Amino acid sequence: MRVLIVEDEPYLAEAVRDGLRLEAIAADIAPDGDAALELLGVNHYDLAVLDRDVPGPSGDEVARRMVASGSGIPILMLTAADRIDDKASGFQLGADDYLTKPFDLRELVLRLRALDRRRGYCRPPVRETAGLRVDPFRREVLRDGRPVALTRKQFAVLEVLVAAEGGVVSAEELLERAWDLNANPFTNAVRITVSTLRKRLGEPWIIGTVPGVGYRIDTGPGDGGTGAERD
Protein backbone atom coordinates (compact mmCIF):
# COMPACT_ATOMS: atom_id res chain seq x y z
CA MET A 1 0.00 0.00 0.00
CA ARG A 2 1.19 3.53 -0.80
CA VAL A 3 -0.18 6.58 1.01
CA LEU A 4 0.10 10.32 0.37
CA ILE A 5 0.41 12.41 3.55
CA VAL A 6 -0.64 16.03 3.02
CA GLU A 7 0.54 17.83 6.14
CA ASP A 8 2.41 21.13 6.65
CA GLU A 9 3.72 20.36 10.14
CA PRO A 10 7.04 18.66 9.25
CA TYR A 11 7.53 16.83 12.55
CA LEU A 12 4.01 15.38 12.47
CA ALA A 13 4.27 14.47 8.78
CA GLU A 14 7.60 12.71 9.28
CA ALA A 15 6.37 10.91 12.39
CA VAL A 16 3.33 9.62 10.51
CA ARG A 17 5.45 8.60 7.51
CA ASP A 18 7.95 6.74 9.71
CA GLY A 19 5.14 5.09 11.68
CA LEU A 20 3.45 3.89 8.50
CA ARG A 21 6.73 2.48 7.22
CA LEU A 22 6.95 0.37 10.37
CA GLU A 23 3.58 -1.10 9.33
CA ALA A 24 4.85 -1.94 5.82
CA ILE A 25 3.01 1.04 4.29
CA ALA A 26 4.98 3.24 1.89
CA ALA A 27 4.28 6.95 2.30
CA ASP A 28 5.18 10.25 0.61
CA ILE A 29 4.79 13.72 2.13
CA ALA A 30 3.29 16.81 0.50
CA PRO A 31 3.76 19.96 2.66
CA ASP A 32 1.12 22.01 0.83
CA GLY A 33 -1.76 21.78 -1.60
CA ASP A 34 0.30 22.47 -4.71
CA ALA A 35 2.76 19.67 -3.89
CA ALA A 36 -0.15 17.33 -3.14
CA LEU A 37 -1.79 17.94 -6.51
CA GLU A 38 1.54 17.50 -8.29
CA LEU A 39 2.25 14.16 -6.60
CA LEU A 40 -1.29 12.95 -7.22
CA GLY A 41 -0.79 13.71 -10.89
CA VAL A 42 2.33 11.57 -11.31
CA ASN A 43 2.10 8.75 -8.75
CA HIS A 44 -0.35 6.00 -7.88
CA TYR A 45 -1.68 6.22 -4.33
CA ASP A 46 -4.01 3.83 -2.57
CA LEU A 47 -5.03 6.35 0.12
CA ALA A 48 -4.56 10.00 1.09
CA VAL A 49 -4.18 11.41 4.60
CA LEU A 50 -5.20 15.03 4.17
CA ASP A 51 -4.86 17.91 6.64
CA ARG A 52 -7.57 20.47 5.91
CA ASP A 53 -5.41 23.48 6.83
CA VAL A 54 -2.38 23.14 4.54
CA PRO A 55 -1.03 26.19 2.64
CA GLY A 56 -1.69 26.80 -1.05
CA PRO A 57 -4.85 25.16 -2.27
CA SER A 58 -6.41 24.15 1.05
CA GLY A 59 -6.99 20.58 2.07
CA ASP A 60 -10.64 21.12 1.26
CA GLU A 61 -9.76 22.23 -2.27
CA VAL A 62 -7.39 19.27 -2.74
CA ALA A 63 -10.18 16.92 -1.63
CA ARG A 64 -12.60 18.63 -3.99
CA ARG A 65 -10.24 18.19 -6.94
CA MET A 66 -9.48 14.57 -6.05
CA VAL A 67 -13.17 13.74 -6.06
CA ALA A 68 -13.79 15.70 -9.27
CA SER A 69 -10.95 13.83 -11.03
CA GLY A 70 -12.69 10.51 -10.45
CA SER A 71 -9.50 8.95 -9.05
CA GLY A 72 -11.45 7.09 -6.39
CA ILE A 73 -8.60 7.47 -3.89
CA PRO A 74 -10.09 7.24 -0.37
CA ILE A 75 -9.43 10.34 1.76
CA LEU A 76 -8.86 10.38 5.50
CA MET A 77 -9.06 13.97 6.73
CA LEU A 78 -7.08 15.33 9.66
CA THR A 79 -8.08 18.44 11.60
CA ALA A 80 -7.76 20.07 14.98
CA ALA A 81 -11.46 20.96 14.89
CA ASP A 82 -13.71 18.33 16.45
CA ARG A 83 -17.13 19.95 16.06
CA ILE A 84 -19.72 17.88 14.26
CA ASP A 85 -20.31 20.71 11.75
CA ASP A 86 -16.63 20.62 10.77
CA LYS A 87 -16.75 16.88 10.29
CA ALA A 88 -19.98 17.12 8.31
CA SER A 89 -18.45 19.65 5.90
CA GLY A 90 -15.44 17.38 5.42
CA PHE A 91 -17.63 14.41 4.54
CA GLN A 92 -19.63 16.59 2.15
CA LEU A 93 -16.39 17.42 0.34
CA GLY A 94 -15.78 13.72 -0.25
CA ALA A 95 -13.81 12.54 2.78
CA ASP A 96 -14.19 8.84 3.55
CA ASP A 97 -13.03 9.08 7.16
CA TYR A 98 -12.07 11.69 9.71
CA LEU A 99 -9.48 11.83 12.50
CA THR A 100 -9.09 14.65 15.01
CA LYS A 101 -5.68 15.85 16.18
CA PRO A 102 -4.01 14.76 18.37
CA PHE A 103 -4.45 11.13 17.40
CA ASP A 104 -2.89 7.76 18.13
CA LEU A 105 -0.81 6.38 15.25
CA ARG A 106 -2.21 2.90 15.74
CA GLU A 107 -5.74 4.23 15.25
CA LEU A 108 -4.62 5.93 12.04
CA VAL A 109 -3.13 2.66 10.76
CA LEU A 110 -6.31 0.73 11.60
CA ARG A 111 -8.47 3.31 9.83
CA LEU A 112 -6.23 3.24 6.75
CA ARG A 113 -6.36 -0.55 6.63
CA ALA A 114 -10.16 -0.43 6.88
CA LEU A 115 -10.39 2.16 4.09
CA ASP A 116 -8.10 0.07 1.90
CA ARG A 117 -10.28 -2.97 2.47
CA ARG A 118 -13.42 -1.06 1.47
CA ARG A 119 -11.63 0.32 -1.59
CA GLY A 120 -11.01 -3.27 -2.65
CA TYR A 121 -14.74 -3.87 -3.16
CA CYS A 122 -15.31 -5.21 0.34
CA ARG A 123 -12.47 -7.69 0.17
CA PRO A 124 -12.03 -9.67 3.41
CA PRO A 125 -9.73 -8.28 6.12
CA VAL A 126 -7.68 -11.49 5.96
CA ARG A 127 -6.77 -12.80 2.52
CA GLU A 128 -6.22 -16.51 1.88
CA THR A 129 -4.91 -18.06 -1.31
CA ALA A 130 -2.84 -21.08 -2.28
CA GLY A 131 -2.14 -22.00 1.34
CA LEU A 132 -1.22 -18.43 2.28
CA ARG A 133 -3.01 -16.49 4.99
CA VAL A 134 -2.15 -12.76 5.00
CA ASP A 135 -3.48 -10.56 7.80
CA PRO A 136 -2.66 -6.88 7.15
CA PHE A 137 -4.08 -5.69 10.47
CA ARG A 138 -1.73 -7.92 12.50
CA ARG A 139 0.94 -7.98 9.78
CA GLU A 140 1.01 -11.77 10.04
CA VAL A 141 1.59 -14.38 7.35
CA LEU A 142 0.94 -18.13 7.56
CA ARG A 143 1.98 -20.67 4.93
CA ASP A 144 0.00 -23.89 5.35
CA GLY A 145 -0.52 -22.93 9.00
CA ARG A 146 3.16 -22.16 9.58
CA PRO A 147 4.05 -18.62 10.71
CA VAL A 148 6.38 -16.83 8.28
CA ALA A 149 8.50 -13.93 9.53
CA LEU A 150 8.83 -11.22 6.88
CA THR A 151 10.54 -7.85 6.73
CA ARG A 152 8.30 -4.82 6.25
CA LYS A 153 9.19 -4.54 2.58
CA GLN A 154 8.67 -8.25 1.94
CA PHE A 155 5.23 -7.98 3.54
CA ALA A 156 4.36 -4.93 1.44
CA VAL A 157 5.31 -6.76 -1.76
CA LEU A 158 3.38 -9.87 -0.73
CA GLU A 159 0.27 -7.74 -0.04
CA VAL A 160 0.34 -6.39 -3.59
CA LEU A 161 0.87 -9.83 -5.12
CA VAL A 162 -1.89 -11.47 -3.09
CA ALA A 163 -4.32 -8.65 -3.88
CA ALA A 164 -3.79 -9.35 -7.59
CA GLU A 165 -5.46 -12.75 -7.06
CA GLY A 166 -3.17 -14.66 -9.39
CA GLY A 167 -2.74 -11.82 -11.87
CA VAL A 168 0.70 -10.73 -13.01
CA VAL A 169 2.17 -7.65 -11.30
CA SER A 170 5.03 -5.90 -13.07
CA ALA A 171 8.23 -4.86 -11.31
CA GLU A 172 7.30 -1.26 -12.10
CA GLU A 173 3.96 -1.59 -10.34
CA LEU A 174 5.55 -3.24 -7.32
CA LEU A 175 8.05 -0.39 -7.12
CA GLU A 176 5.22 2.14 -7.32
CA ARG A 177 2.96 0.39 -4.79
CA ALA A 178 5.44 -0.83 -2.18
CA TRP A 179 8.18 1.83 -2.27
CA ASP A 180 8.09 5.62 -1.88
CA LEU A 181 9.55 8.61 -3.73
CA ASN A 182 13.05 7.82 -2.48
CA ALA A 183 13.18 4.62 -4.52
CA ASN A 184 15.58 4.58 -7.47
CA PRO A 185 13.58 3.64 -10.60
CA PHE A 186 16.61 1.75 -11.90
CA THR A 187 17.15 -0.25 -8.73
CA ASN A 188 17.08 -4.04 -8.61
CA ALA A 189 15.41 -3.88 -5.18
CA VAL A 190 12.21 -5.43 -6.52
CA ARG A 191 13.97 -8.49 -7.91
CA ILE A 192 15.99 -8.93 -4.72
CA THR A 193 12.96 -8.49 -2.47
CA VAL A 194 10.86 -10.96 -4.47
CA SER A 195 13.72 -13.47 -4.41
CA THR A 196 14.16 -13.25 -0.63
CA LEU A 197 10.39 -13.29 -0.11
CA ARG A 198 10.10 -16.46 -2.17
CA LYS A 199 12.75 -18.12 -0.01
CA ARG A 200 11.09 -16.98 3.21
CA LEU A 201 7.79 -18.51 2.12
CA GLY A 202 9.59 -21.80 1.43
CA GLU A 203 9.09 -24.65 -0.99
CA PRO A 204 7.20 -25.47 -3.04
CA TRP A 205 7.83 -22.00 -4.51
CA ILE A 206 4.61 -20.03 -4.62
CA ILE A 207 5.76 -16.83 -6.37
CA GLY A 208 6.17 -17.31 -10.10
CA THR A 209 8.13 -15.11 -12.49
CA VAL A 210 6.57 -14.43 -15.88
CA PRO A 211 9.62 -13.55 -18.02
CA GLY A 212 9.53 -10.01 -19.35
CA VAL A 213 6.21 -9.31 -17.60
CA GLY A 214 6.40 -9.59 -13.81
CA TYR A 215 5.47 -11.76 -10.85
CA ARG A 216 2.40 -13.50 -9.54
CA ILE A 217 1.14 -15.88 -6.88
CA ASP A 218 0.73 -19.41 -8.26
CA THR A 219 -2.81 -20.14 -7.16
CA GLY A 220 -3.15 -23.75 -8.24
CA PRO A 221 -1.61 -26.79 -9.93
CA GLY A 222 -2.73 -25.56 -13.33
CA ASP A 223 -0.40 -22.58 -13.19
CA GLY A 224 2.52 -24.53 -14.49
CA GLY A 225 1.19 -24.24 -18.02
CA THR A 226 1.10 -20.44 -18.14
CA GLY A 227 4.76 -19.78 -18.66
CA ALA A 228 5.61 -18.87 -15.07
CA GLU A 229 9.17 -19.53 -13.98
CA ARG A 230 11.13 -19.33 -10.74
CA ASP A 231 14.35 -17.44 -10.66
Side-chain angles (χ1 to χ4, degrees), residues 85 87-95:
D85 288 345
K87 294 182 178 182
S89 65
F91 283 120
Q92 289 166 1
L93 287 168

Side-chain angles (χ1 to χ4, degrees), residues 150-165:
L150 300 180
T151 67
R152 292 187 291 273
K153 194 59 66 182
Q154 288 167 350
F155 186 90
V157 168
L158 182 61
E159 264 199 292
V160 177
L161 291 174
V162 169
E165 298 181 333

Side-chain angles (χ1 to χ4, degrees), residues 130 217-224:
I217 298 293
D218 289 342
T219 55
D223 283 339

Side-chain angles (χ1 to χ4, degrees), residues 15-26 105 109 113 139 151-152:
V16 171
R17 179 195 61 194
D18 294 346
L20 294 182
R21 285 176 175 174
L22 291 175
E23 297 294 330
I25 299 173
L105 182 63
V109 171
R113 290 290 187 191
R139 204 153 63 81
T151 67
R152 292 187 291 273

Side-chain angles (χ1 to χ4, degrees), residues 134-154:
V134 181
D135 186 340
F137 285 88
R138 295 184 174 86
R139 204 153 63 81
E140 293 178 349
V141 176
L142 299 179
R143 172 84 190 272
D144 296 326
R146 171 181 60 86
V148 180
L150 300 180
T151 67
R152 292 187 291 273
K153 194 59 66 182
Q154 288 167 350

Side-chain angles (χ1 to χ4, degrees), residues 21-63:
R21 285 176 175 174
L22 291 175
E23 297 294 330
I25 299 173
D28 299 326
I29 296 173
D32 54 51
D34 286 322
L37 293 171
E38 181 178 352
L39 289 174
L40 287 165
V42 297
N43 296 318
H44 171 91
Y45 292 103
D46 299 294
L47 299 162
V49 177
L50 178 58
D51 188 327
R52 297 186 70 175
D53 299 319
V54 295
S58 68
D60 287 0
E61 178 60 22
V62 172

